[in-house]
Amino acid sequence: MILDLDYIIFSSLIIACLLPLYIYKEKIFKTKIKTKDNEAFSSFLKDLKLYMLQHHPKIDIDYRIVEKTKNEEDMELRQTLIIESVIKQFFNFPYQNETQASIPREKLWINYEEKSKSNPKYPSDWVLRKEFAWKRDNGCCNRCGSTININEAYTNFVKEINDGGGYNLENIMTLCVNCNKIVNSKNPNTTISSLDLNDKLISFIK
């Protein structure tokens, strides 16, 4: 009986000594995880902002979602919410379809004006006009500012051909694949989910 009592007392002393060490270890472990998560999040946010600034400089992104999600403990969920906010802003960014500045007349070619009138069919020199518009926009999307290859460039019109717009260069807009989808969108939800930007930004989640 005395042996049992001594055993209990001895065991209790050992537990009492080890318990603070266990609590300390757990506290240090959690602190390290939190620090690692914070570093990963900071890196994620830096990469996201840098990518949008470099590849879509005309789109003004509001990052207040970062502050709004600061209490979210699931880091992947928080990053996903931020990406969703950025993509929605990219989609909803107001685009001013303003006519471009006039093209110097000495740069135009024979029959340019005649073939610029509104017509259901593209003019025979459409490829040349598309390339001219692309060069005028410095090889960048007229809406978001992303750099695009001439073979990947889409075109749209400030004033639609069906509404009386012409094929004159001032009426032609150069767009990237994402902005072309947005400008011609019939279903916002479907369009947003189909944007190439989704896959690119999701790859930043750490």
Side-chain angles (χ1 to χ4, degrees):
M1 184 70 178
I2 294 176
L3 181 62
D4 291 343
L5 182 59
D6 290 343
Y7 177 77
I8 292 173
I9 293 173
F10 183 70
S11 299
S12 299
L13 288 173
I14 292 177
I15 293 174
C17 292
L18 293 178
L19 187 59
L21 292 176
Y22 175 77
I23 294 174
Y24 176 76
K25 180 182 178 182
E26 285 294 301
K27 186 176 181 180
I28 293 297
F29 182 70
K30 289 180 180 179
T31 300
K32 286 184 177 180
I33 290 179
K34 186 173 182 180
T35 300
K36 186 176 181 180
D37 285 346
N38 288 339
E39 290 176 351
F41 179 77
S42 296
S43 178
F44 155 78
L45 191 59
K46 179 181 178 181
D47 291 344
L48 176 63
K49 289 182 175 181
L50 184 61
Y51 179 83
M52 292 304 296
L53 184 61
Q54 289 181 339
H55 295 272
H56 306 287
K58 290 187 177 182
I59 307 295
D60 187 18
I61 300 295
D62 182 350
Y63 289 97
R64 282 181 290 183
I65 184 67
V66 175
E67 180 65 21
K68 292 179 180 179
T69 58
K70 65 179 181 180
N71 294 324
E72 177 54 59
E73 295 182 359
D74 186 327
M75 194 59 61
E76 186 173 334
L77 175 58
R78 185 185 184 193
Q79 293 173 338
T80 301
L81 291 173
I82 291 171
I83 288 174
E84 287 179 351
S85 174
V86 170
I87 292 175
K88 285 181 180 178
Q89 290 182 66
F90 181 85
F91 178 86
N92 293 316
F93 188 75
Y95 179 42
Q96 302 298 323
N97 299 336
E98 297 178 356
T99 302
Q100 298 293 319
S102 297
I103 305 297
R105 293 190 63 80
E106 63 271 17
K107 291 187 177 182
L108 303 182
W109 50 91
I110 297 175
N111 295 328
Y112 166 77
E113 291 186 2
E114 179 183 348
K115 295 180 179 180
S116 294
K117 298 177 182 178
S118 180
N119 191 311
K121 295 182 179 180
Y122 283 99
S124 57
D125 57 2
W126 174 248
V127 174
L128 179 60
R129 291 173 190 247
K130 177 181 177 180
E131 182 179 354
F132 206 147
W134 175 78
K135 288 181 177 178
R136 176 203 61 202
D137 294 333
N138 299 312
C140 295
C141 174
N142 197 271
R143 179 178 181 270
C144 74
S146 63
T147 301
I148 45 178
N149 186 288
I150 181 62
N151 297 321
E152 299 173 345
Y154 287 80
T155 54
N156 213 308
F157 301 100
V158 177
K159 184 176 182 180
E160 292 296 335
I161 302 301
N162 292 337
D163 296 330
Y167 293 100
N168 53 305
L169 289 165
E170 293 81 9
N171 195 44
I172 301 173
M173 299 182 294
T174 303
L175 299 174
C176 66
V177 60
N178 283 321
C179 289
N180 182 63
K181 289 180 179 180
I182 291 171
V183 169
N184 295 289
S185 177
K186 304 293 187 213
N187 187 321
N189 291 331
T190 301
T191 301
I192 289 176
S193 64
S194 71
L195 296 179
D196 296 340
L197 187 61
N198 280 293
D199 293 335
K200 183 59 185 179
L201 298 191
I202 287 296
S203 69
F204 291 148
I205 293 180
K206 301 182 184 298

